[in-house]
C-alpha cells in the first residue's frame, strides 16, 4: 500500500495513513528493545549459566554492542535517503533476527563479539534512530504524539518480550528460543512492513529526504557539534541517560538488600509501567509544551526520586519513588527529537536525530559499568546514586541553554 495514494494529510484524522506507520514502528520497537536492549540481561545470565564465563567478559560484549550500534546509527538518516524507509526497516528486521540466531549459537567468547556486531546492525535498524527518522517522513505537527505512541513498543518489549523469551528458553532451550524469536520477528514484521510502508506524503518526504542546495550530512554534523543549542541538548540528555541506565541496571541489586527480591521486582515492574503511563500522558500535550522546560522538570523529578531511594528505608516509599522515577523514563528518549524538530531546520532533522542518538548511546553504554565500579570502590550504592543525582541536576540547568535567540526552527541547515 502506497501512502502517496492517500489524499488526506490531516495528521489528526484516524484515517491518516501515518498512524499505520506508528503501528509498524510500535511492533518494530517491541522486537528491537525486547531482543536488543532488555534481552541483554537474559543473554548475560544464560551464557554465564551455559559456559561459566565471567560476567565481566559477557558484559564487555554488551558494551561493545552499544558502542558499535552508536557508530552505525549516525548514518540511519542517510540510509533511509538512499534506500527508502521500507527497505531499511526490512534490513533492520532481518539483521536483528540473524543476530538473535547468532547469540543462541555462541559457543566461544569470540563468537559472542561477532554476534554482538550483527546485533548492533539490527539495533541501528530497529531502535530510536530508525523509528524517529521513519515517523518524521509522515508526521510534522503530530510528530511528538506519533513518536511517543510508537515508543511504547519499547516498554512492551520489556514487559512482555523478556518474560516470553525466558519462558521460551525453559521450553526450547536457549538456542531454540532465540531461533523461534527470530522466526516470529521475520514472519510478523516483513509482511506488515511490505503492506503498510510505502512512500511518505510528498510535502513531508521531500523536505526530510532531500536537502537540495543545502550542506551535506557530514557538514550538518560538523556544524551541529559547534552549535551551542545542539550541544546543550545532546550533552544534557547524554548525562541523564548515563545516570538513568546506570541506575536501572543496578536497581534490583540495590533494592534486594533493602526490601527483598519480591518487592524489588514489584518496584521494577511499576517503574516500567509508569514509563508507559508517562509517555502516553505526555503524547497528547507534548507538541504544545515548552519541551526544554519539560525536560528540565523531568530531570529534577528523577533526582528527587533518587534522593528518596537513597535515604529512606520504608518499603512503600521506595516503591513509590521508583514509580515517580519511571514516569519520566519513556519521555526522555522522545523529547530530544522533538527539541531538534522545533529548533532546527526540518531538512536537518534526520541527520541531527541520528547524531544525537549516537552521542546518547555512546555515553549511556558506560553507565552500568561506572555505577558498578563506584559501588565496589565505596562499598555501597550511595556514592554512585548521589553521582547520578548530580548529573541529573547539572543536565536540568544545561538543557535550558538554547543558544542563539529566535523562534521555532530558527536555525537553518547552516
Amino acid at each position: 500500500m502506497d501512502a502517496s495514494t492517500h489524499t488526506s494529510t490531516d495528521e489528526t484524522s484516524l484515517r491518516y495513513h501515518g498512524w499505520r506507520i506508528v503501528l509498524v514502528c510500535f511492533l518494530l520497537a517491541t522486537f528491537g528493545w525486547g531482543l536488543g536492549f532488555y534481552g541483554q540481561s537474559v543473554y548475560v545470565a544464560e551464557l554465564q549459566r551455559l559456559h561459566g564465563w565471567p560476567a565481566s567478559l559477557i558484559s564487555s560484549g554488551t558494551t561493545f554492542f552499544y558502542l558499535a550500534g552508536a557508530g552505525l546509527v549516525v548514518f540511519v538518516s542517510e540510509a533511509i535517503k538512499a534506500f527508502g524507509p521500507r527497505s531499511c526497516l526490512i534490513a533492520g528486521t532481518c539483521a536483528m533476527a540473524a543476530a538473535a540466531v547468532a547469540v543462541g549459537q555462541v559457543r566461544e567468547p569470540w563468537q559472542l563479539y561477532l554476534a554482538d556486531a550483527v546485533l548492533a546492525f539490527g539495533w541501528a535498524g530497529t531502535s530510536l534512530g530508525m523509528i524517529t527518522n521513519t515517523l518524521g517522513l509522515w508526521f510534522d505537527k503530530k510528530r511528538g504524539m506519533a513518536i511517543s505512541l510508537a515508543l511504547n513498543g519499547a516498554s512492551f518489549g520489556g514487559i512482555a518480550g523478556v518474560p516470553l523469551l525466558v519462558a521460551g528458553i525453559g521450553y526450547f532451550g536457549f538456542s531454540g528460543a532465540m531461533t523461534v524469536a527470530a522466526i516470529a520477528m521475520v514472519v510478523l514484521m516483513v509482511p506488515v512492513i511490505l503492506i503498510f510502508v510505502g512512500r511518505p506524503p510528498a510535502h513531508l518526504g521531500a523536505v526530510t529526504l532531500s536537502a537540495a542546495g543545502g550542506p551535506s550530512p557530514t557538514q550538518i554534523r560538523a556544524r551541529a557539534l559547534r552549535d551551542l543549542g545542539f550541544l546543550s541538548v545532546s550533552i544534557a540528555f547524554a548525562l541523564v541517560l548515563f545516570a538513568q541506565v546506570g541506575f536501572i541496571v543496578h536497581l534490583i541489586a540495590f533494592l534486594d538488600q533493602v526490601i527483598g527480591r519480591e518487592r524489588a521486582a514489584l518496584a521494577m515492574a511499576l517503574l516500567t509501567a509508569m514509563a508507559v503511563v508517562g509517555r502516553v500522558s505526555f503524547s497528547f500535550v507534548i507538541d504544545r509544551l515548552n519541551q526544554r522546560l519539560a525536560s528540565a522538570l523531568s530531570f529534577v523529578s528523577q533526582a528527587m526520586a533518587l534522593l528518596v531511594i537513597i535515604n529512606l528505608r520504608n518499603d512503600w516509599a521506595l516503591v513509590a519513588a521508583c514509580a515517580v522515577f519511571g514516569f519520566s523514563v519513556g519521555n526522555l528518549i522522545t523529547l530530544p527529537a522533538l527539541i531538534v524538530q522545533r529548533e532546527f531546520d526540518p531538512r536537518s532533522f534526520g541527520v541531527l536525530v541520528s547524531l544525537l542518538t549516537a552521542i546518547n548511546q555512546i555515553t549511556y553504554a558506560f553507565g552500568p559499568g561506572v555505577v558498578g565500579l563506584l559501588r565496589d570502590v565505596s562499598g555501597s550504592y550511595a556514592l554512585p546514586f548521589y553521582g547520578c543525582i548530580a548529573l541529573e541536576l547539572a543536565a536540568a540547568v544545561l538543557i535550558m541553554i538554547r543558544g542563539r535567540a529566535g523562534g521555532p526552527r530558527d536555525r537553518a541547515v547552516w
Side-chain angles (χ1 to χ4, degrees), residues 241-251 254 364 366-388 391:
L241 290 172
F242 178 97
Q244 179 174 284
V245 173
F247 165 71
I248 290 175
V249 167
H250 289 271
L251 178 59
F254 170 75
Y364 74 63
F366 295 98
V370 172
V371 169
L373 177 64
L374 291 176
R375 190 266 174 215
D376 291 343
V377 169
S378 65
S380 76
Y381 278 107
L383 175 62
F385 286 179
Y386 272 119
C388 290
L391 292 179

Side-chain angles (χ1 to χ4, degrees), residues 385-405:
F385 286 179
Y386 272 119
C388 290
I389 290 174
L391 292 179
E392 298 261 12
L393 295 178
V397 174
L398 186 60
I399 194 63
M400 297 307 296
I401 301 174
R402 255 198 85 171
R404 290 179 294 183

Side-chain angles (χ1 to χ4, degrees), residues 216-358:
S216 68
T218 300
Q219 291 173 318
I220 292 175
R221 284 191 284 265
R223 294 172 185 178
L225 294 175
R226 298 193 299 269
D227 185 276
L228 182 59
F230 181 81
L231 289 175
S232 70
V233 175
S234 57
I235 296 173
F237 278 96
L239 294 177
V240 166
L241 290 172
F242 178 97
Q244 179 174 284
V245 173
F247 165 71
I248 290 175
V249 167
H250 289 271
L251 178 59
I252 293 291
F254 170 75
L255 291 180
D256 190 19
Q257 305 168 11
V258 180
I259 60 177
R261 178 62 57 88
E262 183 177 337
R263 288 184 177 173
L266 171 64
M268 178 65 86
L270 185 58
L271 185 152
T272 306
M274 287 300 292
V276 177
V277 172
R279 190 185 287 119
V280 172
S281 301
F282 266 73
S283 68
F284 295 100
V285 297
I286 200 166
D287 291 303
R288 301 192 298 272
L289 294 176
N290 179 330
Q291 291 156 356
R292 284 185 180 264
L293 179 59
S295 300
L297 294 175
S298 296
F299 302 164
V300 172
S301 72
Q302 287 195 344
M304 295 303 99
L306 273 170
L307 192 63
V308 170
I309 290 168
I310 294 170
N311 291 287
L312 295 187
R313 290 297 178 265
N314 178 274
D315 293 7
W316 298 113
L318 289 171
V319 170
C322 288
V324 172
F325 187 96
F327 187 81
S328 300
V329 164
N331 292 313
L332 296 190
I333 60 174
T334 305
L335 282 163
L338 302 183
I339 294 173
V340 167
Q341 176 199 8
R342 178 171 290 183
E343 297 185 7
F344 293 84
D345 189 290
R347 291 171 292 174
S348 65
F349 176 79
V351 174
L352 294 182
V353 167
S354 296
L355 177 60
L356 188 58
T357 302

